[in-house]
Amino acid sequence: QQQVKQSPQSLIVQKGGISIINCAYENTAFDYFPWYQQFPGKGPALLIAIRPDVSEKKEGRFTISFNKSAKQFSLHIMDSQPGDSATYFCAASSRGRGSTLGRLYFGRGTQLTVWP
Amino acid sequence: NAGVTQTPKFQVLKTGQSMTLQCAQDMNHNSMYWYRQDPGMGLRLIYYSASEGTTDKGEVPNGYNVSRLNKREFSLRLESAAPSQTSVYFCASRERGGGEQFFGPGTRLTVL
């Protein structure tokens, strides 16, 4: 069973537009929600993360919106640039017991293409 | 400070051959992970090690074994490679209490 569901699978946005990627989860024990960015041929790298005690976190052009009651969170990229073209993964983890502590559950990824 | 390193970067195997993928981290992290990435499937966890001396199965452990050699190193072994194991493999590490998970550059494996 997929713990974190991500949509859309692919997204094409014009330069200067807003890119929005959505994720949903079921496990209410999740308390850490990161987004990872991956360029071709590279490993994923942390982009931005949020904890459920806030509804929004902004870093530059990147914003996470978090809706605890709906169990959903989303990534917004404002003024999208061709350099933002990459694959984006949402993820979630909880302060589990024993060996599950810190394990991240990933969505399946969104391939973003920003046209110049 | 190299972060997470993986060797080799590329590998081609024939069906039935064995190999070991190596991973090391220099951030003194307790937890280490092996993922495979396939088109449309995202990152799937193969095995992980929450701390030195422990390993646990992830979502797709069949056909793989792991060894947590020490706190720095976590290796992934394919005993008898199959074409279905053609994939890109990523190692990652994280401090046990949570926070950022750091990924290595990946190993691109092709099994013919």
Side-chain angles (χ1 to χ4, degrees), chain B residues 2-111:
Chain B
V4 180
T5 57
Q6 292 182 236
T7 55
K9 286 186 167 50
F10 300 94
Q11 184 71 47
V12 178
L13 292 177
K14 293 181 180 178
T15 297
Q17 286 185 316
S18 63
M19 78 161 295
T20 300
L21 281 64
Q22 306 286 353
C23 174
Q25 52 93 9
D26 61 2
M27 295 171 283
N28 202 36
H29 287 162
N30 284 295
S31 300
M32 297 186 72
Y33 308 83
W34 276 106
Y35 295 89
R36 60 178 288 173
Q37 184 174 23
D38 303 289
M41 298 301 292
L43 292 156
R44 293 186 290 172
L45 184 65
I46 305 171
Y47 269 94
Y48 63 106
S49 171
S51 60
E52 187 179 354
T54 68
T55 60
D56 286 279
K57 295 178 180 179
E59 303 168 64
V60 288
N62 291 345
Y64 306 95
N65 285 299
V66 290
S67 295
R68 184 73 183 267
L69 304 170
N70 47 55
K71 193 172 185 179
R72 290 187 63 248
E73 298 172 288
F74 188 38
S75 63
L76 178 72
R77 182 160 179 85
L78 288 70
E79 290 290 352
S80 179
S84 61
Q85 294 177 305
T86 293
S87 187
V88 181
Y89 292 86
F90 288 101
C91 177
S93 72
R94 191 183 189 200
E95 188 43 61
R96 193 161 186 246
E100 182 174 356
Q101 187 168 105
F102 293 83
F103 285 82
T107 294
R108 186 173 295 275
L109 175 67
T110 301
V111 183

Side-chain angles (χ1 to χ4, degrees), chain A:
Chain A
Q1 182 186 0
Q2 201 177 351
Q3 297 269 359
V4 178
K5 295 182 179 179
Q6 182 172 347
S7 63
Q9 193 171 356
S10 64
L11 182 61
I12 299 174
V13 173
Q14 204 158 8
K15 179 182 175 183
I18 302 173
S19 303
I20 302 174
I21 305 171
N22 300 300
C23 285
Y25 65 96
E26 287 298 325
N27 188 344
T28 55
F30 287 151
D31 64 355
Y32 174 70
F33 301 90
W35 285 89
Y36 281 77
Q37 181 187 53
Q38 183 183 29
F39 292 106
K42 304 290 187 183
L46 180 67
L47 181 64
I48 187 173
I50 196 169
R51 294 201 180 268
D53 51 345
V54 296
S55 60
E56 186 175 282
K57 183 173 181 180
K58 186 175 181 180
E59 289 185 2
R61 296 183 294 107
F62 300 90
T63 300
I64 299 179
S65 296
F66 184 79
N67 186 330
K68 190 173 182 178
S69 61
K71 292 184 284 187
Q72 294 174 349
F73 59 110
S74 59
L75 176 69
H76 296 238
I77 306 174
M78 310 300 287
D79 188 26
S80 299
Q81 299 296 313
D84 298 330
S85 297
T87 300
Y88 293 82
F89 293 97
C90 62
S93 72
S94 67
R95 300 177 202 274
R97 290 176 179 268
S99 62
T100 64
L101 182 66
R103 176 180 166 179
L104 277 172
Y105 295 87
F106 285 89
R108 291 193 173 176
T110 296
Q111 189 165 350
L112 172 66
T113 302
V114 181
W115 287 101

